[in-house]
Amino acid sequence: MDNRNKEKENLEELAESLVYKGKNVWETVKEKEKEKIFALGEEYKDFLDKSKTEREAVREIVRAARERGFLNLKEVRDSNQLKPGTGFFDVYRDKAVILGVMGISELSRGIRLVGSHLDSPRLDLKPQPLYEKCDLALFKTHYYGGIKKYQWTAIPLALHGIVVLQDGRKIEVVIGEDGDDPVFTITDLLPHLAGEQNKRRLSEAIKGEELNVLVGSIPLKGEGYKEKVKLAVLERLHRTYGITEEDFISAELEMVPAGNARDIGFDRGLIGAYGQDDRICVFASLKAVFDIGIPEKTAFALFVDKEEIGSVGNTGMQSKILEETLQHLMEITEQEASIYKLLSCSQALSADVNAAVDPTWEDVMDKLNAAKLGYGVCLTKYTGARGKVDASDAHAEYVAEIRSLFNRNGIIWQTGELGKVDQGGGGTIAKYLANLNMEVIDCGMPLLSMHAPFEVSSKGDLYMGYKGFKAFLMDS
Ligand code: MN
Ligand code: MN
């Protein structure tokens, strides 16, 4: 009997030292740290509420940077004050922004960069959106990014964006967020009459051309024009914003879920909100770059647009904005090294969300390799689909470096894969950072209901992501 107990004990010890086990943030951190986790959650929700579009996020990032004394690169050049610890930023077309803090070592020794994306799936208005049918006024939309279209019906939507007039003036629009504001909505068929619709495949339950948003119902009084509800909407828009129907053509108006970020659960451990892919990483890396003091290497937080549609366009990661900002910096610091040499001795985290195991849909995951809510920031060695196609597969050497960094700094982390092999997959900006010859690995927080109008994250994971990004940016 004694012997057997002893054996059992030995096995436990052996397992303790050999078996890999993830840690639950809530079970691991002390009470003091829990307070910090909840405080960070409050700040994050506030950031989400102010940053529902890529333009709003850029504005919020620049506002926060200015508050902390960051200068735009032109001001840095003019004032000649680029020294270790100087914070700077570079904005591209109000949709992408690069923030940095000068390090102690020369730029040519490489940089540290955390890159995330500001855009989220949504419904964009078409260039000619407004029409009248059945005495109701509606907007036609063209969805942006990968959505399950049926999720966007029968919920309150808000309209965010800009209209640019012919003379270049920009009219900003936000309708549906204040308690007094009206909201908009996409109607769905009542179950009583959905017999035919119910036979459709789920992916076609609502088709793209059926994502039409209800925007008006009261006709103008008078004669001489048939579509009086549409005209009433135009008349009101003209009265409020001074715009006409043609102005929609030079507008970027987005329908997003209306309402603020909320706590989820009796214990308030989770956050539910629109746009957490990828603004959870945006917020965590922004906060991190503000809190690093004077880093060894020059530290960057890069925020790009268009990730959800392939990182295309001149504000996406496939554009040359990072190279341009680095070129500017080289000129200001009068350094002559090539930016590609600099990039090839640089390290990056592609900060993007991963899928968490959903208790109702466990089957799509290989649970041995799936991320879980509450188990910390997630390292994803590779993304891609059908045999890692299109993945930037991080090198084992680099994974070891990051793992060691996180362990040294008490950061709770886990690994994840985007679902079972052959189940599906996806990509991030990692491969475009890798194209610049940087070391890069995907690192971000897991979500439930990713790309849905209401995504779910863990406050514990957010906190570990923030700590992880900060440790990474401060590392030499
Ligand atoms: Mn993403
Ligand atoms: Mn996404």
Side-chain angles (χ1 to χ4, degrees), residues 117 277-278 307-308 352-353:
H117 67 91
D277 174 7
D278 185 26
E307 192 277 341
E308 296 296 356
D352 208 341
V353 296

Side-chain angles (χ1 to χ4, degrees), residues 141 193 207 229:
T141 65
L193 298 178
K207 298 176 185 172
V229 183

Side-chain angles (χ1 to χ4, degrees), residues 179-461:
D180 288 349
D181 282 357
V183 293
F184 309 96
T185 195
I186 295 167
T187 54
D188 195 3
L189 208 46
L190 61 167
H192 318 62
L193 298 178
E196 283 306 311
Q197 185 195 24
N198 284 343
K199 290 181 195 153
R200 293 182 181 181
R201 292 153 47 100
L202 187 59
S203 62
E204 287 161 7
I206 299 288
K207 298 176 185 172
E209 291 291 351
E210 291 166 346
L211 291 169
N212 303 319
V213 188
L214 199 52
V215 299
S217 61
I218 304 179
L220 274 184
K221 276 197 178 131
E223 296 306 323
Y225 190 77
K226 241 172 56 192
E227 297 183 319
K228 290 178 193 171
V229 183
K230 171 179 168 172
L231 197 59
V233 170
L234 282 174
E235 194 270 336
R236 185 176 292 271
L237 287 172
H238 188 256
R239 221 175 337 119
T240 315
Y241 301 104
I243 63 175
T244 66
E245 192 173 17
E246 189 179 304
D247 293 319
F248 278 119
I249 294 168
S250 52
E252 284 176 0
L253 293 165
E254 309 177 6
M255 283 288 174
V256 299
N260 288 346
R262 302 291 296 267
D263 288 342
I264 292 183
F266 294 111
D267 54 21
R268 297 178 175 266
L270 307 171
I271 289 174
Y274 163 70
Q276 299 200 69
D277 174 7
D278 185 26
R279 292 181 201 127
I280 189 168
C281 293
V282 169
F283 172 78
S285 58
L286 178 67
K287 182 99 180 131
V289 84
F290 286 154
D291 290 350
I292 52 175
I294 303 179
E296 181 60 39
K297 283 183 167 179
T298 298
F300 285 84
L302 163 106
F303 308 99
V304 285
D305 180 28
K306 299 285 189 283
E307 192 277 341
E308 296 296 356
I309 57 168
S311 295
V312 291
N314 56 14
T315 48
M317 195 59 237
Q318 294 199 67
S319 72
K320 301 281 185 278
I321 61 175
L322 177 59
E323 288 102 306
E324 187 175 324
T325 293
L326 288 172
Q327 191 63 50
H328 282 169
L329 270 183
M330 296 292 240
E331 283 162 21
I332 294 170
T333 54
E334 292 171 354
Q335 294 188 41
E336 307 224 316
S338 99
I339 52 171
Y340 291 103
K341 223 173 196 172
L342 174 168
L343 283 164
S344 69
C345 53
S346 297
Q347 295 82 27
L349 296 181
S350 162
D352 208 341
V353 296
N354 200 334
V357 176
D358 187 321
T360 308
W361 305 94
E362 284 174 293
D363 282 1
V364 299
M365 296 290 196
D366 160 23
K367 283 184 79 183
L368 192 59
N369 287 285
K372 292 197 286 185
L373 281 189
Y375 280 74
V377 63
C378 175
L379 288 176
T380 304
K381 190 175 181 296
Y382 51 83
T383 57
R386 292 166 297 278
K388 297 191 179 181
V389 169
D390 248 355
S392 159
D393 200 343
H395 302 297
E397 292 87 338
Y398 189 52
V399 185
E401 264 179 53
I402 302 300
R403 172 167 78 104
S404 158
L405 174 79
F406 284 1
N407 284 338
R408 285 199 311 275
N409 286 279
I411 288 144
I412 299 174
W413 59 277
Q414 56 182 329
T415 66
E417 215 185 14
L418 196 56
K420 275 182 180 166
V421 179
D422 288 339
Q423 189 76 45
T428 63
I429 64 167
K431 58 181 174 178
Y432 305 113
L433 292 169
N435 284 349
L436 298 169
N437 213 7
M438 305 171 93
E439 289 297 343
V440 60
I441 182 169
D442 276 297
C443 176
M445 285 60 102
L447 295 184
L448 288 177
S449 299
M450 194 198 292
H451 284 205
F454 194 68
E455 300 173 313
V456 180
S457 67
S458 158
K459 291 182 184 177
D461 300 337

